[in-house]
Amino acid sequence: MSFPIHRGRRLRYNPAVRRLVRETRFAPSQLIYPLFVRPGRGVRDEIGAMPGQYQLSVDTMLERCELSLELGLGGVILFGIPAHKDATGTDAMDDEGIIQKAVREAKRRFPELLVITDLCMCEYTDHGHCGQLVDGDVDNDATLELLAASALAQARAGSDVIAPSDMMDGRVARVRGALDEGGFEKIPILAYAAKFASSFYGPFREAAESAPKQGDRKSYQMDPMNAREAIKEVQMDIEEGADMVMVKPALPYLDVVTRVRELFDVPLFAYNVSGEYSLVKAAAANGWVDEQKVMMEMLGSIFRAGADGVLTYFAPEAAMVLREEYGR
Ligand code: PBG
């Protein structure tokens, strides 16, 4: 492979050649758009730490659902912000809870839209932890029961895919069992399988009003420095019945995405989380980077690493760029 027989630049010498030999492409159908829903009407409160993202009410959320369909996105993932929080997050299990209302309306108005529900207690508990507290720490097995009840409420409301993000041990098996018993054996589970205790979730916790009042999530989310353990977590979730798995965050964990891709043949997603989004927005607002180009390069890198799909706040923006680039 030596010069001058080989000249790498021959395949870069004009845009048509470059386009022909591009190795990684992705489509709007591989992007999932996260939305935050709270009670009320006509709510469209911009999230301070996430310019361009909003806390919505069900009616304004429906507008974003419609846009998602128009742009051919893979779907939406909904996060609920309840009117009342309590120690066990009862709103998450209530058929009239915010997330259940949001799912019902989204599926009623747009039956062909894929609606995923995030399954976790942190938005619903008054202490902000992802499960039930016992002696100041999240009790694993008690939390499994809350998650099972919440998953059933989401399924009854019409959720297409349940996505547990709590990192309790055994939750995929427990949720699978509850869904099957409830007659929802057809509903797939997308497990946040390798979810790290990341500082990149900061802006999300403002968006979802879900920051822990005390302590942190390190007794259940993974140490950011552990990649081998991530493989074990993914393997366990698949064995417990996860149909699809996720690595989260995305960009600082592309090595984990690649390893999971090589080892497991299930659909693999990565979550381009709030902090990853906000860093780009802040730099772009300062004129330090070109927002669109940086966005496409970042999303492309997640696909290049091996993801089949990406959850990203950039989904509509990226879909518009893709439409320009490749048509639909
Ligand atoms: C937990 C959950 C979190 C995110 C998605 N689901 C926050 C956390 O674990 O504290 C973070 C997403 C993001 O930062 O964009 N329900």
Side-chain angles (χ1 to χ4, degrees):
M1 290 284 210
S2 60
F3 176 84
I5 297 176
H6 291 281
R7 287 178 183 269
R9 291 183 58 190
R10 285 188 198 122
L11 296 182
R12 295 173 213 142
Y13 91 104
N14 75 25
V17 177
R18 292 198 290 273
R19 186 180 144 110
L20 182 71
V21 300
R22 171 165 280 183
E23 295 177 28
T24 304
R25 284 190 176 79
F26 58 100
S29 62
Q30 294 170 286
L31 303 175
I32 294 171
Y33 186 23
L35 297 172
F36 302 100
V37 194
R38 66 178 318 147
R41 276 196 68 76
V43 179
R44 200 181 277 105
D45 292 344
E46 191 165 24
I47 298 152
M50 299 176 73
Q53 304 302 315
Y54 301 83
Q55 290 186 344
L56 304 166
S57 46
V58 171
D59 54 331
T60 52
M61 171 206 72
L62 289 173
E63 295 165 12
R64 308 310 284 178
C65 290
E66 188 170 19
L67 174 74
S68 303
L69 265 186
E70 275 170 21
L71 290 170
L73 297 183
V76 297
I77 181 164
L78 303 182
F79 295 91
I81 308 157
H84 301 289
K85 305 190 185 218
D86 57 27
T88 53
T90 47
D91 195 85
M93 298 153 233
D94 187 339
D95 286 327
E96 296 308 313
I98 181 63
I99 190 84
Q100 278 68 246
K101 281 188 179 154
V103 174
R104 262 199 308 274
E105 276 308 299
K107 289 302 296 183
R108 194 176 66 78
R109 282 281 300 280
F110 307 108
E112 49 315 8
L113 177 70
L114 183 89
V115 177
I116 305 174
T117 44
D118 180 86
L119 175 63
C120 190
M121 306 314 297
C122 66
E123 298 111 82
Y124 304 92
T125 53
D126 50 13
H127 45 73
H129 277 287
C130 299
Q132 191 169 337
L133 286 186
V134 175
D135 298 331
D137 192 16
V138 175
D139 186 273
N140 193 86
D141 298 11
T143 300
L144 295 184
E145 300 314 306
L146 305 182
L147 292 167
S150 178
L152 275 173
Q154 293 180 352
R156 281 194 296 271
S159 174
D160 291 309
V161 177
I162 310 274
S165 70
D166 52 283
M167 287 303 278
M168 296 303 124
D169 293 319
R171 89 260 204 229
V172 174
R174 184 68 191 90
V175 167
R176 184 71 271 159
L179 290 174
D180 289 358
E181 255 172 58
F184 298 106
E185 65 284 340
K186 282 189 187 150
I187 302 297
I189 294 178
L190 164 58
Y192 287 70
K195 177 172 178 179
F196 294 89
S198 171
S199 299
F200 283 86
Y201 306 149
F204 173 96
R205 292 181 187 166
E206 179 189 325
E209 299 176 11
S210 64
K213 295 247 158 60
Q214 266 177 0
D216 52 40
R217 304 206 198 292
K218 289 180 186 161
S219 80
Y220 40 103
Q221 297 179 352
M222 290 178 52
D223 185 328
M225 296 300 106
N226 292 1
R228 291 193 302 263
E229 188 187 5
I231 302 306
K232 181 182 168 201
E233 286 285 350
V234 170
Q235 183 165 359
M236 283 172 62
D237 279 6
I238 294 173
E239 282 169 9
E240 287 179 30
D243 303 280
M244 304 178 269
V245 296
M246 193 196 304
V247 172
K248 178 187 173 189
L251 294 171
Y253 299 87
L254 292 183
D255 58 321
V256 178
V257 172
T258 300
R259 285 205 215 183
V260 172
R261 168 76 303 147
E262 284 167 358
L263 289 170
F264 303 101
D265 287 322
V266 298
L268 169 60
F269 291 80
Y271 200 141
N272 179 225
V273 301
S274 57
E276 300 173 53
Y277 171 85
S278 300
L279 293 184
V280 173
K281 284 285 177 182
N286 274 297
W288 296 339
V289 296
D290 178 320
E291 177 171 332
Q292 260 190 15
K293 293 202 170 96
V294 167
M295 165 185 82
M296 295 308 282
E297 188 174 331
M298 288 196 335
L299 293 175
S301 75
I302 304 167
F303 286 101
R304 194 191 62 231
D308 297 305
V310 177
L311 292 81
T312 178
Y313 304 96
F314 285 121
E317 228 177 304
M320 286 185 237
V321 175
L322 289 171
R323 194 185 256 189
E324 292 263 301
E325 230 175 279
Y326 301 116
R328 269 193 75 194

